[in-house]
Amino acid sequence: MKTIAETWRYPSILLMSIGISSVGSWVYFIALNLIVLNLTGSAIAVSGLYIIRALSTVFTNFWAGSLIDRMNKKHLMIALNIFQTVLILLLPLLSSLAFIYCMVFFITAASSMYHPTSMTYMTKLIPEGKRKRFNSLRSLLDSGAFLTGPAIAGMMFTIGTPDMAIYINAIALLLSAFITIWMPNVEGTARLGTSDGRLSIIKDDWKLVIRFSRKYSYTMMIYFLFSAMNVMMTSTDSLEAAFATKVLSLSEGEYGVLVSIAGAGVLTGSLINTMIVEKIPTSWLIGMGSLITAAGYMVLTSSNTYLIASIGCFVLSFAAAFANTGFYTFYQNNIPVDVMGRIGSIYGLVEASLVIVATAIFGIASELISIRFVVVSGSSIMLLVSIALFIFNVLPSKAGVYQHAAAETKIVK
């Protein structure tokens, strides 16, 4: 009988790799904003980074799933990490905004491919019975990165420059790739060869995802509703700083404390999540977690005082840890690993497209109407989506969906 140390050996190594990469990503994200701001002195140029990242995700996810499902996941993860490392090392050497945008486009493309690839690899590596625990620990690491990443970036800016922070991220990615080399190979060789042509492959893969979505409509409805939650959260978050400073009249320092409170909420929620996750059904983790997250946004966006805003920030961050753990577990247990890359990429494409549209609408509406009206409207829509998600998650007739693994799901040919 295997000991705990033996059964958790590779999951622990994988968690270490994820943690290092997450911290590096936060450092890179903050440093890149400062580099562009220092280069141009323009806030619009910084906003352009967000547009470039979103466009890159849309472009990449259109075809990436077809590649991911046909390649060796371990080797692809290593290659993507090394590719990002090389491009990130070149960033501080660039003095042209156009070249920086171009480089960010390709770095984001690699990152967009890495997420569904790593999700598929995790699903193959982690047995069904350990996935919920693994995902709760992963959520804890993400929350730790949310706190330590900006702190490390700030320290780098104090003793060095944004360029130094960029190099720290490159080292983190390279270290993540090195750790992945020691991970087991969970599949055979790549399956790229075909005589039908690449466009035909992509077309057939899109048809497969559509057929799968029709046959397993409940599974994909939960997926879509959770994605809709993410879209509304991202769009509302895009006005967070403006809401805090212009509507609540907070100083930059007070806003910084508000962000720290959100970080404390994520960390607290993740810690409690790891302790009780095995006792809570996956359906309730998703449903109740999403509902409380949306309620937290309502409290935040409806607030008129710093105290109420702080409570809203803490609540929404606290509950998000539970919702994410539940969703990751549901996704891994109900999407077959053979099509996980394609489904994740194509639905990720839809989500990224909706984020671009919704964020643009929110930005324009905030100028034409008011920031308060827009963020409250966004939170209200989010609450309605979360109520629907909760109802569908706890339907007694769908309890079996949360009790079987993806291996029992037949792929629609």
Side-chain angles (χ1 to χ4, degrees), residues 138-187:
R138 178 187 175 190
S139 180
L140 179 60
L141 283 175
D142 287 341
S143 66
F146 177 78
L147 291 174
T148 59
I152 292 173
M155 183 179 67
M156 289 295 103
F157 302 156
T158 301
I159 64 176
T161 64
D163 289 355
M164 183 185 297
I166 289 287
Y167 292 136
I168 289 292
N169 181 45
I171 294 171
L173 283 170
L174 193 61
L175 185 57
S176 179
F178 181 76
I179 291 172
T180 306
I181 292 174
W182 297 98
M183 295 297 293
N185 191 356
V186 295
E187 59 197 328

Short mmCIF file of all heavy atoms in Angstrom, two decimals, residues 138-187:
data_model
loop_
_atom_site.label_atom_id
_atom_site.label_comp_id
_atom_site.label_asym_id
_atom_site.label_seq_id
_atom_site.Cartn_x
_atom_site.Cartn_y
_atom_site.Cartn_z
N ARG A 138 -4.21 24.01 -5.05
CA ARG A 138 -3.86 24.88 -6.17
C ARG A 138 -4.45 26.28 -5.96
O ARG A 138 -3.79 27.29 -6.22
CB ARG A 138 -4.39 24.28 -7.47
CG ARG A 138 -4.11 25.13 -8.70
CD ARG A 138 -4.79 24.58 -9.92
NE ARG A 138 -4.62 25.48 -11.04
CZ ARG A 138 -5.25 25.36 -12.20
NH1 ARG A 138 -6.12 24.37 -12.38
NH2 ARG A 138 -5.05 26.21 -13.18
N SER A 139 -5.68 26.33 -5.48
CA SER A 139 -6.32 27.61 -5.17
C SER A 139 -5.55 28.36 -4.09
O SER A 139 -5.39 29.58 -4.15
CB SER A 139 -7.77 27.38 -4.73
OG SER A 139 -8.41 28.60 -4.42
N LEU A 140 -5.05 27.61 -3.12
CA LEU A 140 -4.25 28.21 -2.04
C LEU A 140 -2.96 28.81 -2.61
O LEU A 140 -2.55 29.91 -2.23
CB LEU A 140 -3.93 27.16 -0.97
CG LEU A 140 -3.07 27.62 0.21
CD1 LEU A 140 -3.76 28.75 0.97
CD2 LEU A 140 -2.79 26.45 1.15
N LEU A 141 -2.32 28.09 -3.52
CA LEU A 141 -1.10 28.60 -4.15
C LEU A 141 -1.38 29.85 -4.98
O LEU A 141 -0.60 30.80 -4.97
CB LEU A 141 -0.48 27.52 -5.04
CG LEU A 141 0.29 26.41 -4.32
CD1 LEU A 141 0.75 25.37 -5.34
CD2 LEU A 141 1.51 26.97 -3.59
N ASP A 142 -2.50 29.84 -5.70
CA ASP A 142 -2.87 31.02 -6.51
C ASP A 142 -3.08 32.24 -5.62
O ASP A 142 -2.68 33.35 -5.97
CB ASP A 142 -4.14 30.73 -7.31
CG ASP A 142 -3.88 29.79 -8.49
OD1 ASP A 142 -2.71 29.66 -8.89
OD2 ASP A 142 -4.85 29.19 -8.99
N SER A 143 -3.72 32.02 -4.47
CA SER A 143 -3.94 33.13 -3.55
C SER A 143 -2.62 33.62 -2.96
O SER A 143 -2.42 34.82 -2.76
CB SER A 143 -4.90 32.73 -2.42
OG SER A 143 -4.33 31.74 -1.58
N GLY A 144 -1.72 32.69 -2.69
CA GLY A 144 -0.40 33.07 -2.20
C GLY A 144 0.36 33.87 -3.23
O GLY A 144 1.03 34.86 -2.90
N ALA A 145 0.23 33.48 -4.50
CA ALA A 145 0.88 34.22 -5.58
C ALA A 145 0.29 35.62 -5.72
O ALA A 145 0.99 36.59 -6.01
CB ALA A 145 0.73 33.45 -6.90
N PHE A 146 -1.04 35.71 -5.49
CA PHE A 146 -1.73 37.00 -5.56
C PHE A 146 -1.16 37.98 -4.54
O PHE A 146 -1.11 39.20 -4.79
CB PHE A 146 -3.23 36.77 -5.31
CG PHE A 146 -4.05 38.04 -5.29
CD1 PHE A 146 -4.41 38.66 -6.47
CD2 PHE A 146 -4.46 38.60 -4.09
CE1 PHE A 146 -5.17 39.83 -6.46
CE2 PHE A 146 -5.22 39.76 -4.07
CZ PHE A 146 -5.58 40.37 -5.26
N LEU A 147 -0.72 37.46 -3.40
CA LEU A 147 -0.16 38.31 -2.34
C LEU A 147 1.34 38.51 -2.50
O LEU A 147 1.84 39.63 -2.40
CB LEU A 147 -0.46 37.69 -0.97
CG LEU A 147 -1.92 37.69 -0.51
CD1 LEU A 147 -2.06 36.93 0.79
CD2 LEU A 147 -2.43 39.11 -0.35
N THR A 148 2.07 37.41 -2.75
CA THR A 148 3.53 37.50 -2.79
C THR A 148 4.07 38.08 -4.10
O THR A 148 5.10 38.74 -4.10
CB THR A 148 4.16 36.11 -2.55
OG1 THR A 148 3.70 35.21 -3.57
CG2 THR A 148 3.79 35.57 -1.18
N GLY A 149 3.35 37.83 -5.21
CA GLY A 149 3.82 38.33 -6.50
C GLY A 149 3.99 39.84 -6.53
O GLY A 149 5.08 40.36 -6.80
N PRO A 150 2.92 40.60 -6.22
CA PRO A 150 3.06 42.07 -6.17
C PRO A 150 4.08 42.54 -5.14
O PRO A 150 4.77 43.54 -5.35
CB PRO A 150 1.64 42.53 -5.80
CG PRO A 150 0.74 41.45 -6.30
CD PRO A 150 1.51 40.17 -6.09
N ALA A 151 4.16 41.81 -4.01
CA ALA A 151 5.14 42.18 -2.98
C ALA A 151 6.56 42.04 -3.50
O ALA A 151 7.41 42.92 -3.29
CB ALA A 151 4.94 41.32 -1.74
N ILE A 152 6.83 40.93 -4.20
CA ILE A 152 8.16 40.72 -4.78
C ILE A 152 8.45 41.77 -5.85
O ILE A 152 9.55 42.31 -5.94
CB ILE A 152 8.26 39.30 -5.38
CG1 ILE A 152 8.22 38.25 -4.26
CG2 ILE A 152 9.54 39.14 -6.20
CD1 ILE A 152 8.15 36.83 -4.76
N ALA A 153 7.42 42.07 -6.66
CA ALA A 153 7.58 43.09 -7.69
C ALA A 153 7.92 44.43 -7.06
O ALA A 153 8.83 45.15 -7.52
CB ALA A 153 6.30 43.21 -8.53
N GLY A 154 7.20 44.79 -5.99
CA GLY A 154 7.47 46.05 -5.30
C GLY A 154 8.88 46.11 -4.75
O GLY A 154 9.55 47.15 -4.83
N MET A 155 9.34 44.99 -4.20
CA MET A 155 10.70 44.93 -3.67
C MET A 155 11.72 45.09 -4.79
O MET A 155 12.73 45.79 -4.64
CB MET A 155 10.92 43.60 -2.94
CG MET A 155 12.28 43.46 -2.28
SD MET A 155 12.46 41.90 -1.41
CE MET A 155 12.45 40.73 -2.78
N MET A 156 11.45 44.47 -5.94
CA MET A 156 12.35 44.59 -7.09
C MET A 156 12.43 46.04 -7.56
O MET A 156 13.50 46.54 -7.93
CB MET A 156 11.84 43.71 -8.24
CG MET A 156 11.99 42.21 -8.02
SD MET A 156 13.71 41.66 -7.92
CE MET A 156 13.87 41.44 -6.16
N PHE A 157 11.27 46.74 -7.55
CA PHE A 157 11.26 48.13 -7.99
C PHE A 157 12.02 49.02 -7.02
O PHE A 157 12.60 50.04 -7.40
CB PHE A 157 9.82 48.64 -8.13
CG PHE A 157 8.98 47.85 -9.08
CD1 PHE A 157 7.60 47.84 -8.97
CD2 PHE A 157 9.56 47.10 -10.10
CE1 PHE A 157 6.82 47.11 -9.83
CE2 PHE A 157 8.78 46.35 -10.98
CZ PHE A 157 7.41 46.37 -10.84
N THR A 158 12.02 48.63 -5.74
CA THR A 158 12.70 49.42 -4.71
C THR A 158 14.21 49.29 -4.82
O THR A 158 14.94 50.28 -4.72
CB THR A 158 12.25 48.98 -3.30
OG1 THR A 158 10.84 49.14 -3.19
CG2 THR A 158 12.94 49.81 -2.22
N ILE A 159 14.68 48.05 -5.01
CA ILE A 159 16.13 47.82 -5.04
C ILE A 159 16.70 47.78 -6.45
O ILE A 159 17.91 47.76 -6.63
CB ILE A 159 16.49 46.52 -4.31
CG1 ILE A 159 15.87 45.30 -5.03
CG2 ILE A 159 16.02 46.56 -2.87
CD1 ILE A 159 16.27 43.96 -4.42
N GLY A 160 15.80 47.74 -7.44
CA GLY A 160 16.28 47.65 -8.82
C GLY A 160 15.36 48.40 -9.77
O GLY A 160 15.00 49.54 -9.53
N THR A 161 14.98 47.72 -10.84
CA THR A 161 14.14 48.34 -11.88
C THR A 161 13.08 47.34 -12.32
O THR A 161 13.16 46.13 -12.01
CB THR A 161 14.99 48.71 -13.11
OG1 THR A 161 15.52 47.49 -13.67
CG2 THR A 161 16.13 49.64 -12.74
N PRO A 162 12.06 47.80 -13.07
CA PRO A 162 11.07 46.87 -13.63
C PRO A 162 11.73 45.79 -14.50
O PRO A 162 11.23 44.66 -14.57
CB PRO A 162 10.17 47.78 -14.46
CG PRO A 162 10.24 49.10 -13.77
CD PRO A 162 11.66 49.20 -13.29
N ASP A 163 12.84 46.15 -15.13
CA ASP A 163 13.55 45.16 -15.96
C ASP A 163 14.00 43.96 -15.11
O ASP A 163 13.92 42.81 -15.55
CB ASP A 163 14.77 45.80 -16.62
CG ASP A 163 14.38 46.79 -17.71
OD1 ASP A 163 13.17 46.89 -18.00
OD2 ASP A 163 15.28 47.46 -18.25
N MET A 164 14.47 44.25 -13.90
CA MET A 164 14.90 43.18 -13.02
C MET A 164 13.73 42.24 -12.69
O MET A 164 13.89 41.02 -12.64
CB MET A 164 15.49 43.76 -11.73
CG MET A 164 16.05 42.70 -10.76
SD MET A 164 16.61 43.40 -9.20
CE MET A 164 17.95 44.45 -9.76
N ALA A 165 12.56 42.84 -12.49
CA ALA A 165 11.37 42.04 -12.19
C ALA A 165 11.00 41.15 -13.38
O ALA A 165 10.56 40.01 -13.21
CB ALA A 165 10.19 42.96 -11.83
N ILE A 166 11.18 41.67 -14.58
CA ILE A 166 10.93 40.88 -15.79
C ILE A 166 11.85 39.67 -15.84
O ILE A 166 11.44 38.55 -16.15
CB ILE A 166 11.12 41.75 -17.05
CG1 ILE A 166 9.99 42.77 -17.18
CG2 ILE A 166 11.20 40.88 -18.30
CD1 ILE A 166 8.66 42.21 -17.59
N TYR A 167 13.13 39.89 -15.51
CA TYR A 167 14.09 38.79 -15.51
C TYR A 167 13.75 37.74 -14.43
O TYR A 167 13.97 36.54 -14.64
CB TYR A 167 15.51 39.32 -15.28
CG TYR A 167 16.03 40.16 -16.43
CD1 TYR A 167 16.70 41.36 -16.21
CD2 TYR A 167 15.86 39.73 -17.74
CE1 TYR A 167 17.18 42.13 -17.26
CE2 TYR A 167 16.34 40.49 -18.81
CZ TYR A 167 16.99 41.68 -18.56
OH TYR A 167 17.45 42.43 -19.62
N ILE A 168 13.19 38.21 -13.32
CA ILE A 168 12.77 37.28 -12.26
C ILE A 168 11.70 36.33 -12.80
O ILE A 168 11.72 35.12 -12.54
CB ILE A 168 12.21 38.05 -11.04
CG1 ILE A 168 13.34 38.76 -10.30
CG2 ILE A 168 11.47 37.12 -10.08
CD1 ILE A 168 14.31 37.83 -9.60
N ASN A 169 10.76 36.88 -13.58
CA ASN A 169 9.71 36.04 -14.17
C ASN A 169 10.28 35.04 -15.16
O ASN A 169 9.86 33.89 -15.22
CB ASN A 169 8.66 36.91 -14.86
CG ASN A 169 7.54 36.08 -15.47
OD1 ASN A 169 7.03 35.16 -14.85
ND2 ASN A 169 7.18 36.40 -16.69
N ALA A 170 11.25 35.48 -15.94
CA ALA A 170 11.90 34.57 -16.90
C ALA A 170 12.55 33.40 -16.18
O ALA A 170 12.45 32.24 -16.61
CB ALA A 170 12.92 35.33 -17.74
N ILE A 171 13.23 33.72 -15.07
CA ILE A 171 13.86 32.66 -14.26
C ILE A 171 12.81 31.72 -13.70
O ILE A 171 13.00 30.50 -13.68
CB ILE A 171 14.69 33.29 -13.12
CG1 ILE A 171 15.89 34.07 -13.70
CG2 ILE A 171 15.18 32.22 -12.14
CD1 ILE A 171 16.64 34.89 -12.67
N ALA A 172 11.67 32.28 -13.25
CA ALA A 172 10.59 31.46 -12.69
C ALA A 172 10.04 30.50 -13.73
O ALA A 172 9.79 29.31 -13.45
CB ALA A 172 9.48 32.36 -12.15
N LEU A 173 9.85 30.99 -14.95
CA LEU A 173 9.33 30.13 -16.02
C LEU A 173 10.33 29.03 -16.38
O LEU A 173 9.94 27.89 -16.64
CB LEU A 173 9.02 30.98 -17.26
CG LEU A 173 7.72 31.79 -17.21
CD1 LEU A 173 7.67 32.77 -18.38
CD2 LEU A 173 6.51 30.87 -17.25
N LEU A 174 11.61 29.40 -16.42
CA LEU A 174 12.64 28.41 -16.73
C LEU A 174 12.70 27.35 -15.64
O LEU A 174 12.85 26.15 -15.92
CB LEU A 174 13.99 29.11 -16.87
CG LEU A 174 15.13 28.28 -17.49
CD1 LEU A 174 14.76 27.85 -18.91
CD2 LEU A 174 16.42 29.08 -17.51
N LEU A 175 12.57 27.77 -14.38
CA LEU A 175 12.56 26.83 -13.26
C LEU A 175 11.35 25.92 -13.34
O LEU A 175 11.43 24.71 -13.08
CB LEU A 175 12.56 27.61 -11.94
CG LEU A 175 12.66 26.78 -10.64
CD1 LEU A 175 13.91 25.91 -10.65
CD2 LEU A 175 12.67 27.71 -9.43
N SER A 176 10.19 26.49 -13.73
CA SER A 176 8.98 25.69 -13.89
C SER A 176 9.17 24.64 -14.98
O SER A 176 8.74 23.48 -14.83
CB SER A 176 7.81 26.61 -14.25
OG SER A 176 6.62 25.87 -14.45
N ALA A 177 9.82 25.01 -16.07
CA ALA A 177 10.10 24.06 -17.15
C ALA A 177 11.02 22.95 -16.67
O ALA A 177 10.83 21.76 -16.99
CB ALA A 177 10.72 24.79 -18.35
N PHE A 178 12.04 23.33 -15.89
CA PHE A 178 12.99 22.34 -15.37
C PHE A 178 12.30 21.35 -14.44
O PHE A 178 12.55 20.15 -14.49
CB PHE A 178 14.12 23.06 -14.61
CG PHE A 178 15.16 22.15 -14.05
CD1 PHE A 178 16.12 21.57 -14.88
CD2 PHE A 178 15.19 21.83 -12.70
CE1 PHE A 178 17.08 20.71 -14.37
CE2 PHE A 178 16.14 20.98 -12.18
CZ PHE A 178 17.09 20.41 -13.01
N ILE A 179 11.38 21.86 -13.59
CA ILE A 179 10.65 20.98 -12.69
C ILE A 179 9.76 20.02 -13.49
O ILE A 179 9.65 18.83 -13.16
CB ILE A 179 9.78 21.81 -11.72
CG1 ILE A 179 10.69 22.57 -10.74
CG2 ILE A 179 8.81 20.93 -10.93
CD1 ILE A 179 9.95 23.57 -9.86
N THR A 180 9.13 20.54 -14.56
CA THR A 180 8.25 19.71 -15.38
C THR A 180 9.00 18.56 -16.03
O THR A 180 8.43 17.48 -16.27
CB THR A 180 7.56 20.58 -16.46
OG1 THR A 180 6.90 21.69 -15.83
CG2 THR A 180 6.52 19.77 -17.24
N ILE A 181 10.29 18.75 -16.32
CA ILE A 181 11.10 17.68 -16.92
C ILE A 181 11.10 16.44 -16.04
O ILE A 181 11.11 15.31 -16.54
CB ILE A 181 12.55 18.18 -17.15
CG1 ILE A 181 12.57 19.25 -18.23
CG2 ILE A 181 13.48 17.02 -17.51
CD1 ILE A 181 13.94 19.90 -18.42
N TRP A 182 11.02 16.63 -14.72
CA TRP A 182 11.07 15.51 -13.78
C TRP A 182 9.71 14.87 -13.55
O TRP A 182 9.61 13.87 -12.83
CB TRP A 182 11.66 15.98 -12.45
CG TRP A 182 13.07 16.45 -12.58
CD1 TRP A 182 13.50 17.73 -12.71
CD2 TRP A 182 14.25 15.64 -12.66
NE1 TRP A 182 14.87 17.79 -12.85
CE2 TRP A 182 15.36 16.50 -12.82
CE3 TRP A 182 14.48 14.26 -12.59
CZ2 TRP A 182 16.67 16.05 -12.91
CZ3 TRP A 182 15.79 13.80 -12.69
CH2 TRP A 182 16.86 14.69 -12.85
N MET A 183 8.68 15.45 -14.16
CA MET A 183 7.34 14.88 -14.01
C MET A 183 7.18 13.67 -14.93
O MET A 183 7.85 13.55 -15.96
CB MET A 183 6.29 15.94 -14.36
CG MET A 183 6.26 17.12 -13.40
SD MET A 183 5.81 16.65 -11.72
CE MET A 183 4.12 16.17 -11.99
N PRO A 184 6.26 12.74 -14.57
CA PRO A 184 6.07 11.55 -15.41
C PRO A 184 5.41 11.87 -16.73
O PRO A 184 4.71 12.89 -16.87
CB PRO A 184 5.15 10.67 -14.54
CG PRO A 184 4.43 11.63 -13.67
CD PRO A 184 5.41 12.73 -13.37
N ASN A 185 5.64 11.03 -17.70
CA ASN A 185 5.00 11.15 -19.01
C ASN A 185 3.68 10.38 -18.95
O ASN A 185 3.68 9.15 -18.85
CB ASN A 185 5.92 10.59 -20.10
CG ASN A 185 5.43 10.92 -21.50
OD1 ASN A 185 4.37 11.51 -21.67
ND2 ASN A 185 6.19 10.51 -22.49
N VAL A 186 2.54 11.07 -19.00
CA VAL A 186 1.25 10.41 -18.77
C VAL A 186 0.58 9.93 -20.04
O VAL A 186 -0.54 9.45 -20.02
CB VAL A 186 0.29 11.37 -18.02
CG1 VAL A 186 0.81 11.66 -16.63
CG2 VAL A 186 0.09 12.66 -18.81
N GLU A 187 1.28 10.04 -21.17
CA GLU A 187 0.68 9.60 -22.44
C GLU A 187 1.76 9.17 -23.40
O GLU A 187 2.95 9.25 -23.12
CB GLU A 187 -0.15 10.73 -23.05
CG GLU A 187 0.67 11.99 -23.32
CD GLU A 187 -0.20 13.21 -23.52
OE1 GLU A 187 -1.32 13.04 -24.03
OE2 GLU A 187 0.23 14.30 -23.17
#
